Amino acid sequence: VPVLLFVAAPYIRRYVAGGQCKSTAKLEGKVVIITGANTGIGKETARDLARRGKVIIACRDTAKAEAAASEIRAETGNQQVIVKKLDLADTKSIREFAEEFLREEKELHILINNAGVMLCPYSKTADGFEMHLGVNHLGHFLLTFLLLERLKQSAPARIVNVSSLAHHGGRIRFHDLHGEKNYNRGLAYCHSKLANVLFTRELARRLQGKLLYFAIGTKVTANALHPGSVHSELVRHSFVMTWLWKIFSFFLKTPWEGAQTSIYCAVAEELDSVTGQYFSDCQPAYVSPRGRDDETARKLWSVSCELLGIQWD
């Protein structure tokens, strides 16, 4: 068995690594925002895109973000890697970030909603939202709303939402969105990742009119993705998962490998007019039936607007 494993190891690793973004597209004169880019796949996405154009790293922990940005600047030679404060668990911080960005930058070409929390003990955001729903869905929903006009003005532009295969285990529990009646942190994560898929679907529909898969309206596309099972800090709230991640790290993607589909959705030329889709390993992937439920997507949109106190028609 050890000999077989040794022989098979390169093939296993190749399979685990998954797809790789082959695009060499440059982003000269273009502006990218990546949330949560101080570690994990967000950092690797920023590292790659910094070789192509201007990158704004939007993070809650600015000290950690500055360390990541400094490393990326030194490696890529691109001094246009900028850190901005953004706490997705606080709508006040989201609005302040958006206001500062819109004041300083006249264009925005790519918005990558990458940041996320996973397996948190029950807690709420500054605005009283359950943490997974608040950060993973509502925070990015509000951020996208506030930046959308700048994306339209800069079109062609792209919105990339990092979801997960975990969306297959999720459902939108409108009767208990904030888990006050029944809370399971694993399921709460799944629910929030399903919300990412539904948000992407409804956003694409609203931006592009009736033809869901081809951009004919605003020339702003919206796609979601599963990065794969990645050896990152995302499982830090669970001792068991952290332990398992270390034991089985050989069978997990590295952050660089996990970033490939995010990069692909952001720059691949063949996706110029593709919208409302879900990708994994740099190719279209299967979406759960709940993730294709347009009625639920519309209702989630309406409820999200109510919770955030915004009108988004």
Side-chain angles (χ1 to χ4, degrees), residues 149-169:
E149 285 306 311
R150 190 56 45 92
L151 284 158
K152 288 180 180 178
Q153 292 162 10
S154 310
R158 302 187 187 191
I159 299 164
V160 179
N161 294 324
V162 179
S163 180
S164 170
L165 183 69
H167 86 270
H168 285 269

Side-chain angles (χ1 to χ4, degrees), residues 72-250:
I72 293 169
R73 286 187 211 110
E75 184 178 319
T76 63
N78 182 3
Q79 297 307 303
Q80 292 293 291
V81 180
I82 300 164
V83 172
K84 295 292 181 183
K85 171 83 171 178
L86 172 65
D87 184 353
L88 288 159
D90 185 347
T91 58
K92 183 172 181 286
S93 173
I94 298 168
R95 290 182 180 279
E96 287 173 351
F97 168 85
E99 286 171 11
E100 184 177 347
F101 173 83
L102 294 172
R103 192 166 57 246
E104 296 178 355
E105 301 287 344
K106 299 308 175 191
E107 293 188 301
L108 174 60
H109 303 90
I110 301 170
L111 171 61
I112 303 180
N113 291 318
N114 164 83
V117 294
M118 180 180 181
L119 303 175
C120 300
Y122 189 77
S123 57
K124 289 188 174 182
T125 69
D127 302 273
F129 309 139
E130 186 276 316
M131 191 61 71
H132 292 90
L133 183 78
V135 171
N136 298 352
H137 168 59
L138 292 170
H140 283 128
F141 188 96
L142 178 60
L143 179 65
T144 305
F145 166 76
L146 294 170
L147 298 177
L148 189 59
E149 285 306 311
R150 190 56 45 92
L151 284 158
K152 288 180 180 178
Q153 292 162 10
S154 310
R158 302 187 187 191
I159 299 164
V160 179
N161 294 324
V162 179
S163 180
S164 170
L165 183 69
H167 86 270
H168 285 269
R171 64 187 308 168
I172 306 301
R173 304 169 68 249
F174 290 108
H175 66 286
D176 189 23
L177 269 181
H178 303 294
E180 293 167 327
K181 298 175 184 175
N182 185 26
Y183 181 74
N184 176 292
R185 57 186 179 171
L187 289 176
Y189 176 72
C190 295
H191 301 333
S192 71
K193 295 290 102 179
L194 174 59
N196 292 154
V197 172
L198 291 169
F199 168 46
T200 303
R201 187 175 182 86
E202 180 65 8
L203 177 59
R205 186 187 72 79
R206 287 168 177 261
L207 287 172
Q208 314 307 338
K210 294 180 180 178
L211 294 180
L212 181 59
Y213 296 114
F214 295 94
I216 58 170
T218 61
K219 295 194 180 299
V220 178
T221 63
N223 290 298
L225 67 100
H226 167 56
S229 297
V230 182
H231 193 225
S232 71
E233 295 180 13
L234 191 60
V235 296
R236 63 186 176 274
H237 292 292
S238 169
F239 171 78
V240 173
M241 288 296 288
T242 301
W243 181 70
L244 288 172
W245 248 227
K246 286 180 180 177
I247 291 175
F248 295 105
S249 60
F250 182 78

Side-chain angles (χ1 to χ4, degrees), residues 36-47:
N38 58 357
T39 186
I41 65 172
K43 181 180 176 182
E44 293 305 320
T45 303
R47 193 193 308 274

